[in-house]
Amino acid sequence: MRHALTTVLAAVSFTSIAAAQTPPETPPVTPPAQSEIGAAVAKDMDAMMALYRDLHANPELSLKEVNTAAKLAKRLKALKYDVTEKVGGTGVVAVMKNGTGPVLLIRADMDALPVVEQTGLDFASKVRTKTPEGVETGVMHACGHDTHMTAFIETAKLLAARKDQWKGTLVMILQPAEEVGKGARDMLEDGLYTRFPRPTHALAFHDAANLEAGVIGYTPGYALANVDSVDIDVKGVGGHGAYPQTAKDPIVLGSRIVTSLQTLVSREQDPQDPAVVTVGSFQGGAKHNIIPDEAKLLLTVRSYSDETRAKLIEGIRRIARGEAIAAGMPQDKMPVVSVKDEFTPSTYNPPEFAEEMAGLLKTHFPDGRVVKTTAVMGGEDFGRFYRADKSIKSFIFWVGGVPAEKMAAAQAGQISLPSLHSPFWAPQADKVIATGSEAMTVLALDILKKD
């Protein structure tokens, strides 16, 4: 998940926690009844937590999820799914046909991040590797994909055991490379919708670092943003720092570009249509007294609609060129703007279907466990599955992972919470897994319900 979440929600009790003891003269408080599915999940939690700890301790970077995919494919085969491996690289597709009816795609992402873990967990990752750029790094499930995979396996098990309660086709997919925006695209290009049953519905969830553990959040409409990585190569004429009149300084030009880019959002964008243009890196020069002949800007650009995305990218090109012309740069030294291949499209929950799914979850879980959240500027390539066929009813939701006591302390201003992608992010995994698998199973059984 390429993002930071921004929602504040009230604390909520977890369904499996028994009611507190009451004085003898007071009638006992009856806890919320645990559903049959919730009871089945609770029974499986020891095994699920063992899987989670294994996945957490053995993370793999994007496009390298070989061992992760193999161990989970083995579990799906044992559950009698028809399993195909190496779809779109390391992706796994597991199909279970159970008569005529809807075709439901359920997705979990597998990749970890180049982060050195600092959670202090007994099973913390000690894995080290090199990135494709040759940088040595630690590897960590700092975005919670290990909880997604664990809940995915539990959901697959629960649905396989309840074939008498549904009809249709399950297409369970384990997707690589979500963090670099390539995995969903690679699976689609490798025939996900032609080699396998084409989905009528699609579901996924993501853990959240700003919601109390066990709370479900949902967002109708745009839920997550378009994410673009943009490079600007700023050309110049190098020279001695003591004689700037003999040079064309790309650092000064780059600085003008940075400041002018801020007007794309503040002065050209409708305030009702949020967008972000952030310059995350400014690289130029190597010595105090040398004007370099080149500088480089690295940007992240966020939007919701494709029209706004195109407008922002065109604006970046226009501003870069305009500032270069104003600086007197010749035509052969105009800045070069490159949109990287890491594009993650926005994720859209068709509103009517989102409200339908949320209503079902609100009926199933106790009051307060399911809340509406605002859209975020983070990215999630789950949106590609809907974009490839907009007749699909698609829904992604959040499952909070912050322990209740930490959420209370944060709300009181006593601590700051780590975000997703932080080396300190350690969700309350049992509640994320239990809630995610129960919610996914409830939704799946409704989508695939018998007449």
Side-chain angles (χ1 to χ4, degrees), residues 113 115-119 140-143 417-426:
L113 288 158
V115 173
V116 178
E117 182 163 353
Q118 300 180 56
T119 61
M140 178 190 174
H141 272 299
C143 202
L417 296 174
S419 67
L420 298 177
H421 292 205
S422 165
F424 301 102
W425 173 236

Side-chain angles (χ1 to χ4, degrees), residues 130-178:
K130 285 188 177 181
T131 67
E133 296 76 25
V135 178
E136 186 174 341
T137 180
V139 185
M140 178 190 174
H141 272 299
C143 202
H145 294 187
D146 44 1
T147 63
H148 304 172
M149 290 183 281
T150 306
F152 173 95
I153 292 296
E154 176 67 359
T155 302
K157 178 183 178 182
L158 294 169
L159 292 172
R162 288 164 175 74
K163 291 180 71 174
D164 61 335
Q165 298 179 32
W166 60 273
K167 67 174 186 176
T169 300
L170 279 172
V171 181
M172 308 283 292
I173 69 170
L174 291 161
Q175 181 208 304
E178 184 276 329

